[in-house]
Amino acid sequence: LLIHFLRKRKVVIPYSQLEIIERYPDSSSKVEAVVVYMARHYSKPELSLIDVQKETGISSREIGLIFKNQFGSSFKKYLNLMRLTEVKRLLKETNETISVIAYKTGYSNVSHFNRVFKSEEGMSPKDYREKLRWKFIATLILFASIVAFWVI
């Protein structure tokens, strides 16, 4: 799990659906039931608090309290952070276009996705991917320099 900090409180964001589902296989607690349902369905653009409430049998008010008390966040904020965690992984590990990544992670509007990403990361998804690529290139150059130093 990746840990993000939101207002000095830890917010746990599943890095992948598989990891969260393995962590909570039986979904016995209310928190687990909500988090597992969201991990399985975050890619649906229409996912809402009402959907989670209907599927888990937990009231909307109680779900709101779970997010506030357990994660220091709101349902929508947690959902966006969950989606953005997957977005960042896809930007790093794939060459898929930004619009494909946006749609795959539950954003039905690319402009909205770009605004959400920039507000959380301080840069556009394109700039984020470029930054990752330059970091990778810099690491390769550093590694090659170290190897060359020891070989010579």
Side-chain angles (χ1 to χ4, degrees), residues 91 94-102 129:
L91 287 170
T94 73
N95 289 319
E96 291 179 326
T97 66
I98 290 166
S99 58
V100 167
I101 290 171
R129 180 178 264 169

Side-chain angles (χ1 to χ4, degrees), residues 63-101:
I63 292 170
L65 288 172
I66 286 170
F67 283 103
K68 182 179 178 185
N69 296 333
Q70 295 292 319
F71 306 116
S73 182
S74 68
F75 169 82
K76 190 66 174 171
K77 185 84 168 168
Y78 188 90
L79 178 59
N80 275 329
L81 288 172
M82 184 181 283
R83 288 173 171 165
L84 289 175
T85 299
E86 182 64 5
V87 165
K88 290 187 280 187
R89 186 189 69 80
L90 292 170
L91 287 170
K92 181 179 180 181
E93 297 178 7
T94 73
N95 289 319
E96 291 179 326
T97 66
I98 290 166
S99 58
V100 167
I101 290 171

Side-chain angles (χ1 to χ4, degrees), residues 14 16-18 20-22 24-27 32-44 47 82:
S16 70
Q17 289 183 31
L18 182 59
I20 197 73
I21 292 165
E22 286 174 354
Y24 302 121
D26 62 351
S27 298
E32 292 167 354
V34 169
V35 172
V36 168
Y37 183 79
M38 289 179 69
R40 289 183 175 149
H41 300 281
Y42 74 91
S43 62
K44 295 180 180 178
L47 181 62
M82 184 181 283

